[in-house]
Amino acid sequence: MKVSAIITLKKDVLDPQGKVIQQALDGMGFENISEVRQGKYFEIDVNENDPSKAKAVVEDMCKKLLANLVIENFKIIETQ
Amino acid sequence: MKVSAIITLKKDVLDPQGKVIQQALDGMGFENISEVRQGKYFEIDVNENDPSKAKAVVEDMCKKLLANLVIENFKIIETQ
């Protein structure tokens, strides 16, 4: 089954890339934005039919490789 | 309100970056994976209280700047 992981910077970590995107959007006329933060997204197809086991595997991947837990948070989502 | 946009490569577009992540995971002992695809994630704080209007604004941003619609799909999600 497919499981998705969303990795975002922690709230207190500066996100210069998001800031630049916000400025670009602002320059294009989207002036009603107070913040843009960029993150990473992974869609992982695990050979495992039990949703909770598949999620546990992806959580383990995030902890060991995908996310830097010092500055990032991660969220696991089941994908249809 | 905060709206998230997830941008993924279309199904038929090769994702070498995802392939490398899969190989890295495989080398770390996660051998039960059939595919990894990487995407982009944006969390946008729009000054707009109506969820459907906020989503429409973010959809517009995706079409005009954030996503390359030739090779990418996007999905808008309301964030709590």
Side-chain angles (χ1 to χ4, degrees):
Chain A
M1 67 176 302
K2 281 193 181 172
V3 179
S4 301
I6 293 175
I7 295 168
T8 47
L9 282 170
K10 285 186 179 171
K11 224 171 64 80
D12 298 326
V13 179
L14 285 177
D15 180 6
Q17 203 172 351
K19 196 80 199 156
V20 170
I21 295 166
Q22 185 186 345
Q23 286 164 2
L25 286 168
D26 193 76
M28 289 170 72
F30 294 103
E31 281 150 10
N32 233 348
I33 313 164
S34 46
E35 199 183 18
V36 176
R37 288 182 80 81
Q38 203 190 2
K40 285 181 282 185
Y41 176 82
F42 300 98
E43 208 170 82
I44 299 164
D45 198 350
V46 186
N47 296 329
E48 173 66 65
N49 289 321
D50 183 341
S52 61
K53 275 190 197 165
K55 278 188 189 177
V57 170
V58 174
E59 193 177 324
D60 205 23
M61 288 175 194
C62 284
K63 284 182 187 160
K64 289 189 181 155
L65 179 75
L66 304 177
N68 174 357
L69 297 178
V70 178
I71 54 165
E72 291 170 331
N73 289 322
F74 65 88
K75 202 162 66 182
I76 313 286
I77 298 172
E78 210 175 300
T79 316
Q80 295 76 22
Chain B
M1 68 176 301
K2 281 192 182 171
V3 179
S4 301
I6 293 175
I7 295 168
T8 47
L9 283 171
K10 285 186 179 171
K11 224 171 63 83
D12 297 328
V13 179
L14 286 178
D15 180 6
Q17 203 171 350
K19 196 80 199 157
V20 169
I21 295 167
Q22 185 186 346
Q23 286 164 2
L25 287 167
D26 193 76
M28 290 172 71
F30 295 102
E31 280 150 8
N32 232 348
I33 313 165
S34 46
E35 199 183 21
V36 177
R37 286 183 82 83
Q38 202 189 2
K40 286 181 280 185
Y41 175 81
F42 299 98
E43 208 169 81
I44 299 164
D45 197 350
V46 187
N47 296 329
E48 172 67 65
N49 289 320
D50 183 343
S52 62
K53 275 189 197 164
K55 279 188 188 176
V57 170
V58 174
E59 193 177 323
D60 206 21
M61 288 175 194
C62 285
K63 285 183 187 158
K64 289 188 180 155
L65 180 74
L66 304 177
N68 174 357
L69 297 178
V70 179
I71 54 165
E72 290 170 331
N73 288 322
F74 66 89
K75 202 162 65 181
I76 313 287
I77 297 173
E78 209 173 302
T79 316
Q80 295 75 24

